[in-house]
Amino acid sequence: MRTQGDVPAKAVMGNLGKDCFHGVSHPLMEGSTPISRLDIACAASTEVWVKRDDLSAASYGGNKVRKLEHILSEASRLGKKRLVTIGAVGSHHVLATTLFGRAAGFEVHAVLVPQPRSEHVVSDICATLNAGAHVHPSASWAAVPWHVMRAMTRDAYFVPPGGSNVAGAVGYVSAARELAVQVRAGECPEPDAIFVALGSGGTAAGLAVGLEIEQMKAQLVAVCVADPAWATIAGMRLLTRQTAVAAGLASDSEALSRRVRVEASFLGRGYGHATAAGVAAIAEASKLGLTLDDTYTGKTFAGALAYARANANQQILYWNTLSSASLEPLLRGAPTERELPEAIARLLV
Ligand SMILES: *Cc1c(COP(=O)(O)O)cnc(C)c1O
């Protein structure tokens, strides 16, 4: 039987134009992000490359930028004036949504839940408040719906955690297409495996659909960084299907599910808890000029390194999702940790 996977990319693209790419009214990306080879010891004839989404935007990069281009555009198209979102205190997603949402003229409300305290988390929450977020502290996930309902006025657009709805994932369908163009232009070899962090799932879902549309050979290895892993994986699989439908790919395509392999052995104690392998990978990346974090990118790069050392003849692409922009301009005039409202400080556990 002929499956959607056999449909030439051009035919699929006809649907994309109609159903899911409405055009971006709020462009945030500053061109394609660069790709370069990393000089590290690997198994024979294996190479590791990096896709620098840390450089997606000058003021604040990382993977939330591509998602927000489409989310802000959808919110505008629906005539919404306010964004309501959710995240752990110090969330990259909440910071990015506040920065880019406010710049686009939206009021931004964020319901915040606790997360382990680190310097990184503290800087992010201080920058978030400085950027003008209205924050609603919630002592637990159980109380989140109540806070969200209160913030959801008629002119509000709900942005799920991590910006992982179909609109957000579409940003990563485009990212895979950007990679295909770069491969065709000879900027890097066609990857056999692409390693990306799996948190709320929008990044992996969009990439899986985009790789399928472009009929690239790469397997997407989604390194699970959020617990419980089963729920993280189920959410990503569901969003992948929804995104595939929006993009005009068959939602039950077996090829699409084979496309993604979830790697759950780098999670450690859970979301936000550092692991030894992650810390070692961060140190190794730092020698190569890449700054990674404990929560997402350290664990993901650890997965890529372990694979690169165990498998010969592989072209591996590590997709870097952490902003490398300096927070300094965003912290100018921001509250310090001691000046944080008590209800926010209590979320730093
Ligand atoms: C949010 C985030 C991720 C996870 O991406 P999802 O689309 O939520 O799975 C990965 N890396 C960093 C640095 C992030 O901030």
Side-chain angles (χ1 to χ4, degrees):
M1 200 190 81
R2 186 183 166 88
T3 66
Q4 282 281 334
D6 300 319
V7 175
K10 267 218 184 85
V12 178
M13 291 312 298
N15 286 336
L16 271 178
K18 188 171 88 243
D19 295 322
C20 117
F21 284 99
H22 293 269
V24 170
S25 59
H26 292 280
L28 306 174
M29 294 286 298
E30 289 151 18
S32 305
T33 58
I35 302 181
S36 57
R37 198 176 73 80
L38 294 173
D39 186 15
I40 42 184
C42 300
S45 305
T46 286
E47 290 182 338
V48 180
W49 296 71
V50 59
K51 175 73 168 153
R52 299 287 308 267
D53 270 15
D54 54 300
L55 300 172
S56 53
S59 58
Y60 187 70
N63 65 338
K64 304 309 183 292
V65 177
R66 292 187 191 268
K67 296 177 176 195
L68 283 165
E69 277 193 335
H70 292 268
I71 287 170
L72 298 181
S73 299
E74 182 168 88
S76 284
R77 202 161 55 239
L78 297 171
K80 306 298 188 185
K81 303 278 183 274
R82 171 189 284 212
L83 306 173
V84 176
T85 195
I86 308 170
V89 62
S91 148
H92 298 143
H93 159 67
V94 171
L95 174 54
T97 302
T98 306
L99 285 171
F100 295 113
R102 297 273 295 149
F106 292 95
E107 194 180 293
V108 179
H109 288 254
V111 178
L112 301 179
V113 295
Q115 105 158 302
R117 184 198 173 283
S118 70
E119 294 302 318
H120 186 90
V121 162
V122 169
S123 309
D124 280 2
I125 181 59
C126 293
T128 300
L129 293 173
N130 204 30
H134 298 265
V135 296
H136 308 272
S138 178
S140 69
W141 277 101
V144 164
W146 183 80
H147 288 285
V148 170
M149 287 312 294
R150 282 206 327 165
M152 284 300 292
T153 46
R154 280 172 57 125
D155 60 354
Y157 178 97
F158 177 66
V159 186
S164 288
N165 56 11
V166 170
V170 164
Y172 269 88
V173 177
S174 300
R177 303 192 57 222
E178 175 181 304
L179 172 66
V181 170
Q182 288 175 310
V183 168
R184 284 197 288 271
E187 290 179 40
C188 70
E190 176 152 16
D192 298 297
I194 298 176
F195 280 74
V196 74
L198 168 57
S200 60
T203 307
L207 284 178
V209 172
L211 293 171
E212 196 60 27
I213 289 171
E214 290 293 335
Q215 289 292 290
M216 295 184 77
K217 70 175 172 188
Q219 167 124 91
L220 186 67
V221 185
V223 180
C224 183
V225 300
D227 57 299
W230 65 266
T232 303
I233 295 165
M236 180 273 291
R237 295 277 182 199
L238 173 62
L239 185 56
T240 304
R241 267 188 238 140
Q242 292 173 317
T243 307
V245 169
L249 275 171
S251 62
D252 60 351
S253 159
E254 267 181 48
L256 192 59
S257 37
R258 274 200 312 271
R259 176 70 68 177
V260 188
R261 174 167 77 80
V262 176
E263 175 56 83
S265 56
F266 290 85
L267 174 60
R269 270 182 61 203
Y271 179 78
H273 293 280
T275 59
V279 168
I282 291 171
E284 184 139 5
S286 134
K287 286 187 224 143
L288 303 165
L290 291 176
T291 304
L292 306 185
D293 73 312
D294 287 321
T295 303
Y296 298 100
T297 52
K299 291 174 184 181
T300 305
F301 194 56
L305 288 178
Y307 186 81
R309 279 165 187 157
N311 295 279
N313 297 313
Q314 292 288 303
Q315 293 296 340
I316 297 165
L317 181 70
Y318 159 67
W319 206 298
N320 192 19
T321 49
L322 178 71
S323 174
S324 56
S326 164
L327 275 192
E328 203 224 308
L330 306 179
L331 286 171
R332 233 168 266 148
T336 63
E337 183 174 11
R338 283 184 23 230
E339 290 162 357
L340 286 175
E342 172 59 27
I344 303 290
R346 248 185 279 134
L347 300 176
L348 300 162
V349 292

